[in-house]
Amino acid sequence: MTPRETILVALHARLSALPATALRGDVLPERMPVEGLMILRDGEPGAPEVTLSPLRYHYQHKAELEVVVQAATGRATAFDTLIAAIGTALDADRTLGGLCDWIEAEAPASVDLPVEGAAALKAAVITVILHYTTTGPLA
């Protein structure tokens, strides 16, 4: 596996330890898990900074984490609890066991989404910035 894929797999594993369901690259399911849902999107590595001697590509890869909670009551509290748990999981090891140089999340901007005939959803996209170095753009 490339460093990029190894880091994304490790991030997904870290999120999978949380009580909410963690998916990677999947579509939003028809039924929401009671404890909430997180979908990790690979995102974009962006243009790297390059150093020459030795040749290294330094990325600030922006992965996206879609977070969704559905509840008839207490939706805001459940959403806030899940966001805080994600923050705690990321803060526990900012290098994902030494796989990347640093990991940080940007603050979410949440929205309430009405669902016809069901409880509304509270959702946000959290950008997770992964700082890492590779030996080539395809490595």
Side-chain angles (χ1 to χ4, degrees), residues 13-139:
R14 172 76 49 88
L15 296 170
S16 295
L18 298 175
T21 300
L23 304 174
R24 181 165 174 217
D26 288 334
V27 297
L28 191 65
E30 288 185 30
R31 294 185 183 261
M32 291 299 300
V34 174
E35 62 281 343
L37 176 70
M38 301 173 290
I39 303 175
L40 177 62
R41 307 276 179 210
D42 291 356
E44 295 292 328
E49 289 187 28
V50 180
T51 55
L52 300 172
S53 186
L55 181 61
R56 296 289 183 261
Y57 295 80
H58 309 280
Y59 288 96
Q60 291 185 24
H61 184 131
K62 293 185 177 184
E64 292 182 338
L65 183 61
E66 296 175 13
V67 180
V68 184
V69 172
Q70 183 176 35
T73 61
R75 183 175 50 254
T77 301
F79 182 80
D80 187 60
T81 301
L82 179 54
I83 295 295
I86 292 168
T88 300
L90 297 179
D91 288 346
D93 181 5
R94 296 261 187 184
T95 66
L96 292 174
L99 295 174
C100 63
D101 298 323
W102 191 253
I103 181 173
E104 60 186 309
E106 294 181 349
S110 63
V111 296
D112 291 310
L113 304 169
V115 177
E116 189 175 328
L121 301 172
K122 188 163 193 85
V125 174
I126 300 172
T127 300
V128 179
I129 304 170
L130 307 161
H131 300 261
Y132 60 89
T133 300
T134 66
T135 57
L138 301 178

